[in-house]
Amino acid sequence: MTFLFVVPTLFFAGFLLYFIVWNLYYSFLDYSIIHAHNPQFAGFGTYSSVLGDPLFVTAFGRTILWVAVCLAATNALGILIASLIFFLDNGKLKSIYNSLFLYPISISLAASAVIWTWLYNPQEGINSVLTALHLPAFSGLSSPSTAELSLIIVSIWIYSGLSAIFYYSSFQGVSTQVIESARADAAKAHTIVFKILLPEAKNAFIVATVTIFLFVLRMFSLPYVATGLDPFTMTLSEQMFNYFTTEFFSKASVVSIVVVIIAAAVIVPYALFGVKRWISGD
Amino acid sequence: MVKIVLENVTKIFTKKKQENKVLDDITFEVADGNFFGIIGQSGAGKTTLLRIIAGLEGPTHGRVKFDNTVVAEEGKIMVPIEERNIGMVFQTWALYPHLTSYENIAFPLRAKKMDENEIESTVLHLAKMLGIEEVLGRKPGRISGGQQQRVAVARALSKNPSLLLLDEPFSNLDATIKDNARSLIRTVQKEMLITAIIVSHDPADIFSLASDTLAITDGRNAQMDRTANLYHKPNNITVARSIGEMSVVQGFLTRDSRNDVEVKLGGSCKLGFRRDELIATAPGNNSDIRVGFRPESLELLDEKDISLKGSNDWALIGNGVVKICSYSAGIFRVLIRLEGLEDDIAVSSDVSIDTDSRISLYAKRHDLKLFDSRGNSILDYSTRTEKQGGPNNERRWISAST
Amino acid sequence: MIKPLKLAKKAIHHAILIVLAALWLIPVYAMLIDGMKSAGGVLTTPILQPTGLSFTSLIEVSTALELPIVNSLIISVTTAAVSTLVGALAAFYFYKGRSWTNNSVFVIIAIATFIPYQITLVPVTEILSTLGLFNTYPGLIFTFVIFHLPGGALLMTIFMSNLPKSIIESARADGAGDWAVFSRVAFPLTLAGAVSTFILTFVEVWNNFFIPLVLTSTPNMYTASISLLSYTGGYGTLYNDSFAAALVASLIPLLVFVILGRYFMRGFLALGSGSKG
């Protein structure tokens, strides 16, 4: 009878599954503003037209680049921040810093977009400080060459604190006796980080990487609010939305399927790997 | 009260396609109102056995009956734990940390939907009996270990169970209060006329509470008997050791023309046995055997002291040195190494003895245990004179200075 | 005696952290000083330079965002409560048995937790339109529950897996049935985890932009984050309004983070590395 307990959850999770199947079905149709009332079966036709669409191709490449740069930066910054905090002596200070680097994640991406759009403003924003210091100005969102980089920087600001708490918590799992004996052996801080802490932080690396990967893969509102559906910053999710608003529904479904495949390649092994840790209680 | 019957209970856990037989064909019966013990080393399967009786697991094969009702059979649980009317005290006590002691004790009664007045009088009665009235308003985290244990006992008893199950209930208590806790349980069980089963690895728990005991090794019934018999007449070395300390040394058995037996220990010691003192299937001439000594059946004398020589009751085992002497509860435990023997022997002593002292070791003939090379007893206990146990009044000691 | 070298190292250590922290705080700093700048201040000072305080913009934006904030509250609180409570029920199921079916269902729930919600754009719009739930509270809440219930179940399972088995077994021995074990023992003992789950879900739903963008069509149904679209700062907008809007729309999740940050962090850590940290 305990099975009844999980029925409501399965009911809702079932919708999610249904949505994916639905997408799969529609991705093989030609359902668009042109065939709104009688969608035609198109086989892989819609797939080939989406994969041949330069807008999709750049959005795809851009999303992958975004994921790669953001992952590299958030992992590096996460390790740096976590180590700096880990070696503080004051426990109160540790938790203050941990929260301080994590707070951006509690603000909506839309709000972050609004704030950073202004901070990147060529005259009023950070540039006013750079100019005052006689440093070269940063063109930010106003130039196609730096627009994407500007948004990637915002995503790094948002997610580094998350990566830091994962690393920090795995550092804390390392026995203090091991660290104290390393200190007694006069080991330098960076030696402790690279030789003792990081080898134990494999789990943090996986968790931070997977979590941030999924966050960036579905990146939508940050570029959408900051620049609209701009061809120079458009991500996969935006491209899907773009097809949707222009009523190329099957094309939107194709993009969905592409996203699901990429996500599943990460989520499925992650979930299988996670099961043991998640329910490791006695 | 209830009679518990287990018939051919076998439990197999399957993990990653590997079958692990935790219990193998266990059969026994606990009479109405009896206090029954289950002893064994950790991993022997004793806790699984208790969980099967409780209904937390089902037997893979075999049958469990409460009186004449089959409660579980062949992998199926007919009567689930919540309907078996049992009280259970867990090793960790498993008190509800978010509830006060009062609410902990009242929990089973609320599950029965008993009315509030009745709950109150039951809880207060039990609290008084167990001496925990003053902690009723506090949560488990804020009372001592001994009090927590008594709250757990009160909770197990509050619904007036017909069977009380105790899983290592004293192992988390300080040594100093264990005996109090044991006597409290003994009293309560007698007063309330409950059938009780205790599982423990600690012989002290078993001796103090259980009148009959099952010793299990590797999931099998190694011996079921009156508790004292497990100690004095063990079926094998594992049983002997699970119920108390026993040193085992290698011996060599020879038989003469009349088939009487001589056992050689080390270089010089020879012990004689009549052939009827051994069971019929005991090994023949020229066999390796093992000899067991309880610490209290041994005597240490100064090497020069010959007062026990020629005694009928005492046999000289050999000479050797004291390796170490430690202390526990009024008795010194002396570990000695005899010349020509590879195993250390533990001896109880009333006095401390210096390390490296030279000593002679004597053993009480009647308390010697003989086992074959696989560890099974080869003595026919029925032919041995009943003259066992306890400290003896002719105990001597050697002075530490010699 | 502390060596000067050691002291210098300590100073550098703190200096790096302080500089990083300052960089991280720039957006909050800007929200606070610029959200409370007067129109005159906006025209005479750049964004990072403070001037006198004025609440005009803040009050104006608050009034405009009042309805969206109420909408966000209704939707976020309901979704978070449903996800936490219903998720806790599922968690109890996962806790109780470790059978093959049990584990498979759990893996499905775990996968569902991480599926990017954007992919359901087309079907969800279709279903809600068919059901007449488009642009309504029930429609939005229903959709959010679909996305957040698996996560709630996963988190609650992680937290519940810390419960000692013997406590649940002793409740059963005490005669409690499934519902009593859940409601009187398992759930009360996972309360801290439930708070984490609730807060994490609440903040995520509050901050969600995509779903209300797709599923609402009239301003009276807009949520706080959607409303920010009108403050993105095209030509002619003054930046004090933008910063005030960002501040007002983020105030509740920020306060939740500041006051209950411990629970928030524990939720993330649990999702990452299990309940033990």
Side-chain angles (χ1 to χ4, degrees), chain A residues 185-212:
Chain A
D185 296 341
K188 298 231 170 17
H190 61 85
T191 318
I192 296 179
V193 170
F194 287 105
K195 291 276 158 66
I196 298 174
L197 296 180
L198 281 183
E200 297 294 320
K202 193 186 90 199
N203 190 39
F205 170 74
I206 295 172
V207 169
T209 304
V210 169
T211 314
I212 295 169

PDB file of all heavy atoms in Angstrom, chain A residues 185-212:
ATOM      1  N   ASP A 185      54.202  19.359   8.924  1.00  0.00           N
ATOM      2  CA  ASP A 185      55.339  19.106   8.053  1.00  0.00           C
ATOM      3  C   ASP A 185      55.716  20.342   7.252  1.00  0.00           C
ATOM      4  O   ASP A 185      56.461  20.249   6.279  1.00  0.00           O
ATOM      5  CB  ASP A 185      55.018  17.962   7.070  1.00  0.00           C
ATOM      6  CG  ASP A 185      54.791  16.655   7.787  1.00  0.00           C
ATOM      7  OD1 ASP A 185      55.224  16.561   8.948  1.00  0.00           O
ATOM      8  OD2 ASP A 185      54.180  15.745   7.196  1.00  0.00           O
ATOM      9  N   ALA A 186      55.150  21.493   7.622  1.00  0.00           N
ATOM     10  CA  ALA A 186      55.442  22.773   6.979  1.00  0.00           C
ATOM     11  C   ALA A 186      55.082  22.799   5.492  1.00  0.00           C
ATOM     12  O   ALA A 186      55.747  23.440   4.690  1.00  0.00           O
ATOM     13  CB  ALA A 186      56.908  23.164   7.172  1.00  0.00           C
ATOM     14  N   ALA A 187      54.017  22.087   5.118  1.00  0.00           N
ATOM     15  CA  ALA A 187      53.567  22.123   3.725  1.00  0.00           C
ATOM     16  C   ALA A 187      52.977  23.492   3.420  1.00  0.00           C
ATOM     17  O   ALA A 187      52.318  24.093   4.260  1.00  0.00           O
ATOM     18  CB  ALA A 187      52.527  21.038   3.488  1.00  0.00           C
ATOM     19  N   LYS A 188      53.230  23.978   2.193  1.00  0.00           N
ATOM     20  CA  LYS A 188      52.674  25.277   1.800  1.00  0.00           C
ATOM     21  C   LYS A 188      51.182  25.119   1.490  1.00  0.00           C
ATOM     22  O   LYS A 188      50.719  24.035   1.156  1.00  0.00           O
ATOM     23  CB  LYS A 188      53.410  25.777   0.564  1.00  0.00           C
ATOM     24  CG  LYS A 188      54.892  25.990   0.813  1.00  0.00           C
ATOM     25  CD  LYS A 188      55.297  27.370   0.344  1.00  0.00           C
ATOM     26  CE  LYS A 188      56.678  27.818   0.737  1.00  0.00           C
ATOM     27  NZ  LYS A 188      57.637  26.848   1.169  1.00  0.00           N
ATOM     28  N   ALA A 189      50.463  26.249   1.576  1.00  0.00           N
ATOM     29  CA  ALA A 189      49.016  26.202   1.366  1.00  0.00           C
ATOM     30  C   ALA A 189      48.673  25.590   0.012  1.00  0.00           C
ATOM     31  O   ALA A 189      47.783  24.748  -0.089  1.00  0.00           O
ATOM     32  CB  ALA A 189      48.429  27.599   1.493  1.00  0.00           C
ATOM     33  N   HIS A 190      49.419  26.001  -1.043  1.00  0.00           N
ATOM     34  CA  HIS A 190      49.055  25.479  -2.366  1.00  0.00           C
ATOM     35  C   HIS A 190      49.355  23.980  -2.469  1.00  0.00           C
ATOM     36  O   HIS A 190      48.671  23.248  -3.164  1.00  0.00           O
ATOM     37  CB  HIS A 190      49.737  26.276  -3.487  1.00  0.00           C
ATOM     38  CG  HIS A 190      51.233  26.232  -3.448  1.00  0.00           C
ATOM     39  ND1 HIS A 190      51.945  25.226  -4.023  1.00  0.00           N
ATOM     40  CD2 HIS A 190      52.135  27.070  -2.888  1.00  0.00           C
ATOM     41  CE1 HIS A 190      53.237  25.440  -3.835  1.00  0.00           C
ATOM     42  NE2 HIS A 190      53.385  26.562  -3.133  1.00  0.00           N
ATOM     43  N   THR A 191      50.359  23.526  -1.739  1.00  0.00           N
ATOM     44  CA  THR A 191      50.630  22.086  -1.717  1.00  0.00           C
ATOM     45  C   THR A 191      49.456  21.358  -1.097  1.00  0.00           C
ATOM     46  O   THR A 191      49.013  20.319  -1.582  1.00  0.00           O
ATOM     47  CB  THR A 191      51.890  21.785  -0.886  1.00  0.00           C
ATOM     48  OG1 THR A 191      52.870  22.755  -1.202  1.00  0.00           O
ATOM     49  CG2 THR A 191      52.399  20.400  -1.169  1.00  0.00           C
ATOM     50  N   ILE A 192      48.948  21.909   0.008  1.00  0.00           N
ATOM     51  CA  ILE A 192      47.807  21.274   0.667  1.00  0.00           C
ATOM     52  C   ILE A 192      46.609  21.229  -0.287  1.00  0.00           C
ATOM     53  O   ILE A 192      45.931  20.216  -0.415  1.00  0.00           O
ATOM     54  CB  ILE A 192      47.452  22.014   1.972  1.00  0.00           C
ATOM     55  CG1 ILE A 192      48.623  21.891   2.954  1.00  0.00           C
ATOM     56  CG2 ILE A 192      46.166  21.464   2.575  1.00  0.00           C
ATOM     57  CD1 ILE A 192      48.404  22.596   4.265  1.00  0.00           C
ATOM     58  N   VAL A 193      46.385  22.339  -0.999  1.00  0.00           N
ATOM     59  CA  VAL A 193      45.241  22.379  -1.913  1.00  0.00           C
ATOM     60  C   VAL A 193      45.402  21.333  -3.017  1.00  0.00           C
ATOM     61  O   VAL A 193      44.514  20.528  -3.258  1.00  0.00           O
ATOM     62  CB  VAL A 193      45.081  23.788  -2.538  1.00  0.00           C
ATOM     63  CG1 VAL A 193      44.045  23.751  -3.656  1.00  0.00           C
ATOM     64  CG2 VAL A 193      44.670  24.792  -1.477  1.00  0.00           C
ATOM     65  N   PHE A 194      46.573  21.321  -3.678  1.00  0.00           N
ATOM     66  CA  PHE A 194      46.719  20.462  -4.849  1.00  0.00           C
ATOM     67  C   PHE A 194      46.997  19.005  -4.503  1.00  0.00           C
ATOM     68  O   PHE A 194      46.599  18.106  -5.215  1.00  0.00           O
ATOM     69  CB  PHE A 194      47.812  21.011  -5.779  1.00  0.00           C
ATOM     70  CG  PHE A 194      47.371  22.247  -6.520  1.00  0.00           C
ATOM     71  CD1 PHE A 194      47.842  23.500  -6.154  1.00  0.00           C
ATOM     72  CD2 PHE A 194      46.434  22.159  -7.537  1.00  0.00           C
ATOM     73  CE1 PHE A 194      47.409  24.644  -6.814  1.00  0.00           C
ATOM     74  CE2 PHE A 194      45.997  23.295  -8.200  1.00  0.00           C
ATOM     75  CZ  PHE A 194      46.484  24.542  -7.842  1.00  0.00           C
ATOM     76  N   LYS A 195      47.689  18.789  -3.377  1.00  0.00           N
ATOM     77  CA  LYS A 195      48.079  17.413  -3.076  1.00  0.00           C
ATOM     78  C   LYS A 195      47.090  16.706  -2.139  1.00  0.00           C
ATOM     79  O   LYS A 195      46.991  15.495  -2.142  1.00  0.00           O
ATOM     80  CB  LYS A 195      49.479  17.394  -2.440  1.00  0.00           C
ATOM     81  CG  LYS A 195      50.586  17.787  -3.398  1.00  0.00           C
ATOM     82  CD  LYS A 195      51.030  16.583  -4.232  1.00  0.00           C
ATOM     83  CE  LYS A 195      51.723  16.976  -5.522  1.00  0.00           C
ATOM     84  NZ  LYS A 195      53.006  17.645  -5.341  1.00  0.00           N
ATOM     85  N   ILE A 196      46.399  17.490  -1.315  1.00  0.00           N
ATOM     86  CA  ILE A 196      45.528  16.838  -0.333  1.00  0.00           C
ATOM     87  C   ILE A 196      44.052  17.105  -0.597  1.00  0.00           C
ATOM     88  O   ILE A 196      43.239  16.190  -0.649  1.00  0.00           O
ATOM     89  CB  ILE A 196      45.894  17.288   1.100  1.00  0.00           C
ATOM     90  CG1 ILE A 196      47.333  16.863   1.416  1.00  0.00           C
ATOM     91  CG2 ILE A 196      44.926  16.677   2.119  1.00  0.00           C
ATOM     92  CD1 ILE A 196      47.841  17.368   2.719  1.00  0.00           C
ATOM     93  N   LEU A 197      43.702  18.397  -0.791  1.00  0.00           N
ATOM     94  CA  LEU A 197      42.271  18.725  -0.892  1.00  0.00           C
ATOM     95  C   LEU A 197      41.685  18.324  -2.246  1.00  0.00           C
ATOM     96  O   LEU A 197      40.670  17.638  -2.313  1.00  0.00           O
ATOM     97  CB  LEU A 197      42.064  20.216  -0.639  1.00  0.00           C
ATOM     98  CG  LEU A 197      42.442  20.708   0.759  1.00  0.00           C
ATOM     99  CD1 LEU A 197      42.188  22.199   0.895  1.00  0.00           C
ATOM    100  CD2 LEU A 197      41.655  19.956   1.821  1.00  0.00           C
ATOM    101  N   LEU A 198      42.320  18.760  -3.331  1.00  0.00           N
ATOM    102  CA  LEU A 198      41.727  18.516  -4.646  1.00  0.00           C
ATOM    103  C   LEU A 198      41.573  17.031  -4.989  1.00  0.00           C
ATOM    104  O   LEU A 198      40.547  16.646  -5.549  1.00  0.00           O
ATOM    105  CB  LEU A 198      42.496  19.263  -5.733  1.00  0.00           C
ATOM    106  CG  LEU A 198      42.154  20.761  -5.827  1.00  0.00           C
ATOM    107  CD1 LEU A 198      42.895  21.413  -6.976  1.00  0.00           C
ATOM    108  CD2 LEU A 198      40.647  20.966  -5.997  1.00  0.00           C
ATOM    109  N   PRO A 199      42.572  16.194  -4.679  1.00  0.00           N
ATOM    110  CA  PRO A 199      42.358  14.769  -4.999  1.00  0.00           C
ATOM    111  C   PRO A 199      41.103  14.189  -4.338  1.00  0.00           C
ATOM    112  O   PRO A 199      40.530  13.238  -4.827  1.00  0.00           O
ATOM    113  CB  PRO A 199      43.621  14.101  -4.449  1.00  0.00           C
ATOM    114  CG  PRO A 199      44.647  15.166  -4.454  1.00  0.00           C
ATOM    115  CD  PRO A 199      43.915  16.435  -4.166  1.00  0.00           C
ATOM    116  N   GLU A 200      40.689  14.797  -3.230  1.00  0.00           N
ATOM    117  CA  GLU A 200      39.491  14.305  -2.544  1.00  0.00           C
ATOM    118  C   GLU A 200      38.222  14.970  -3.087  1.00  0.00           C
ATOM    119  O   GLU A 200      37.125  14.699  -2.613  1.00  0.00           O
ATOM    120  CB  GLU A 200      39.595  14.578  -1.040  1.00  0.00           C
ATOM    121  CG  GLU A 200      40.746  13.863  -0.357  1.00  0.00           C
ATOM    122  CD  GLU A 200      40.564  12.359  -0.379  1.00  0.00           C
ATOM    123  OE1 GLU A 200      39.431  11.901  -0.193  1.00  0.00           O
ATOM    124  OE2 GLU A 200      41.568  11.650  -0.618  1.00  0.00           O
ATOM    125  N   ALA A 201      38.385  15.893  -4.036  1.00  0.00           N
ATOM    126  CA  ALA A 201      37.234  16.706  -4.450  1.00  0.00           C
ATOM    127  C   ALA A 201      36.666  16.264  -5.794  1.00  0.00           C
ATOM    128  O   ALA A 201      35.990  17.031  -6.457  1.00  0.00           O
ATOM    129  CB  ALA A 201      37.635  18.183  -4.490  1.00  0.00           C
ATOM    130  N   LYS A 202      36.914  15.019  -6.170  1.00  0.00           N
ATOM    131  CA  LYS A 202      36.407  14.524  -7.454  1.00  0.00           C
ATOM    132  C   LYS A 202      34.883  14.663  -7.522  1.00  0.00           C
ATOM    133  O   LYS A 202      34.323  15.083  -8.529  1.00  0.00           O
ATOM    134  CB  LYS A 202      36.809  13.053  -7.610  1.00  0.00           C
ATOM    135  CG  LYS A 202      36.610  12.522  -9.018  1.00  0.00           C
ATOM    136  CD  LYS A 202      36.897  11.025  -9.074  1.00  0.00           C
ATOM    137  CE  LYS A 202      35.645  10.258  -8.789  1.00  0.00           C
ATOM    138  NZ  LYS A 202      35.820   8.879  -8.391  1.00  0.00           N
ATOM    139  N   ASN A 203      34.260  14.330  -6.415  1.00  0.00           N
ATOM    140  CA  ASN A 203      32.809  14.401  -6.355  1.00  0.00           C
ATOM    141  C   ASN A 203      32.308  15.835  -6.566  1.00  0.00           C
ATOM    142  O   ASN A 203      31.369  16.075  -7.312  1.00  0.00           O
ATOM    143  CB  ASN A 203      32.356  13.860  -4.995  1.00  0.00           C
ATOM    144  CG  ASN A 203      30.875  13.666  -4.945  1.00  0.00           C
ATOM    145  OD1 ASN A 203      30.280  13.235  -5.927  1.00  0.00           O
ATOM    146  ND2 ASN A 203      30.277  13.993  -3.821  1.00  0.00           N
ATOM    147  N   ALA A 204      32.979  16.791  -5.913  1.00  0.00           N
ATOM    148  CA  ALA A 204      32.592  18.193  -6.064  1.00  0.00           C
ATOM    149  C   ALA A 204      32.728  18.617  -7.518  1.00  0.00           C
ATOM    150  O   ALA A 204      31.879  19.341  -8.052  1.00  0.00           O
ATOM    151  CB  ALA A 204      33.452  19.074  -5.170  1.00  0.00           C
ATOM    152  N   PHE A 205      33.791  18.163  -8.170  1.00  0.00           N
ATOM    153  CA  PHE A 205      33.999  18.511  -9.581  1.00  0.00           C
ATOM    154  C   PHE A 205      32.839  18.003 -10.429  1.00  0.00           C
ATOM    155  O   PHE A 205      32.267  18.736 -11.233  1.00  0.00           O
ATOM    156  CB  PHE A 205      35.322  17.916 -10.073  1.00  0.00           C
ATOM    157  CG  PHE A 205      35.505  18.029 -11.554  1.00  0.00           C
ATOM    158  CD1 PHE A 205      35.819  19.251 -12.137  1.00  0.00           C
ATOM    159  CD2 PHE A 205      35.340  16.921 -12.379  1.00  0.00           C
ATOM    160  CE1 PHE A 205      35.971  19.370 -13.511  1.00  0.00           C
ATOM    161  CE2 PHE A 205      35.485  17.029 -13.756  1.00  0.00           C
ATOM    162  CZ  PHE A 205      35.799  18.252 -14.330  1.00  0.00           C
ATOM    163  N   ILE A 206      32.461  16.748 -10.213  1.00  0.00           N
ATOM    164  CA  ILE A 206      31.359  16.173 -10.993  1.00  0.00           C
ATOM    165  C   ILE A 206      30.067  16.941 -10.742  1.00  0.00           C
ATOM    166  O   ILE A 206      29.364  17.347 -11.666  1.00  0.00           O
ATOM    167  CB  ILE A 206      31.169  14.679 -10.646  1.00  0.00           C
ATOM    168  CG1 ILE A 206      32.402  13.887 -11.076  1.00  0.00           C
ATOM    169  CG2 ILE A 206      29.923  14.118 -11.312  1.00  0.00           C
ATOM    170  CD1 ILE A 206      32.405  12.448 -10.614  1.00  0.00           C
ATOM    171  N   VAL A 207      29.777  17.165  -9.469  1.00  0.00           N
ATOM    172  CA  VAL A 207      28.518  17.815  -9.110  1.00  0.00           C
ATOM    173  C   VAL A 207      28.463  19.242  -9.654  1.00  0.00           C
ATOM    174  O   VAL A 207      27.475  19.650 -10.278  1.00  0.00           O
ATOM    175  CB  VAL A 207      28.350  17.803  -7.575  1.00  0.00           C
ATOM    176  CG1 VAL A 207      27.210  18.697  -7.164  1.00  0.00           C
ATOM    177  CG2 VAL A 207      28.116  16.393  -7.094  1.00  0.00           C
ATOM    178  N   ALA A 208      29.537  20.000  -9.434  1.00  0.00           N
ATOM    179  CA  ALA A 208      29.559  21.389  -9.909  1.00  0.00           C
ATOM    180  C   ALA A 208      29.441  21.409 -11.423  1.00  0.00           C
ATOM    181  O   ALA A 208      28.660  22.185 -11.998  1.00  0.00           O
ATOM    182  CB  ALA A 208      30.848  22.071  -9.461  1.00  0.00           C
ATOM    183  N   THR A 209      30.173  20.541 -12.094  1.00  0.00           N
ATOM    184  CA  THR A 209      30.178  20.536 -13.547  1.00  0.00           C
ATOM    185  C   THR A 209      28.801  20.168 -14.101  1.00  0.00           C
ATOM    186  O   THR A 209      28.271  20.873 -14.967  1.00  0.00           O
ATOM    187  CB  THR A 209      31.244  19.539 -14.063  1.00  0.00           C
ATOM    188  OG1 THR A 209      32.502  19.921 -13.496  1.00  0.00           O
ATOM    189  CG2 THR A 209      31.332  19.570 -15.564  1.00  0.00           C
ATOM    190  N   VAL A 210      28.207  19.123 -13.570  1.00  0.00           N
ATOM    191  CA  VAL A 210      26.902  18.703 -14.085  1.00  0.00           C
ATOM    192  C   VAL A 210      25.843  19.773 -13.816  1.00  0.00           C
ATOM    193  O   VAL A 210      25.070  20.152 -14.697  1.00  0.00           O
ATOM    194  CB  VAL A 210      26.476  17.351 -13.459  1.00  0.00           C
ATOM    195  CG1 VAL A 210      25.031  17.046 -13.777  1.00  0.00           C
ATOM    196  CG2 VAL A 210      27.378  16.244 -13.962  1.00  0.00           C
ATOM    197  N   THR A 211      25.815  20.273 -12.578  1.00  0.00           N
ATOM    198  CA  THR A 211      24.793  21.252 -12.217  1.00  0.00           C
ATOM    199  C   THR A 211      24.905  22.497 -13.103  1.00  0.00           C
ATOM    200  O   THR A 211      23.910  22.961 -13.678  1.00  0.00           O
ATOM    201  CB  THR A 211      24.944  21.653 -10.740  1.00  0.00           C
ATOM    202  OG1 THR A 211      25.126  20.472  -9.971  1.00  0.00           O
ATOM    203  CG2 THR A 211      23.739  22.402 -10.250  1.00  0.00           C
ATOM    204  N   ILE A 212      26.106  23.032 -13.215  1.00  0.00           N
ATOM    205  CA  ILE A 212      26.272  24.271 -13.971  1.00  0.00           C
ATOM    206  C   ILE A 212      26.084  24.002 -15.466  1.00  0.00           C
ATOM    207  O   ILE A 212      25.508  24.814 -16.185  1.00  0.00           O
ATOM    208  CB  ILE A 212      27.636  24.910 -13.635  1.00  0.00           C
ATOM    209  CG1 ILE A 212      27.619  25.312 -12.152  1.00  0.00           C
ATOM    210  CG2 ILE A 212      27.916  26.128 -14.506  1.00  0.00           C
ATOM    211  CD1 ILE A 212      28.952  25.715 -11.587  1.00  0.00           C
TER     212      ILE A 212
END
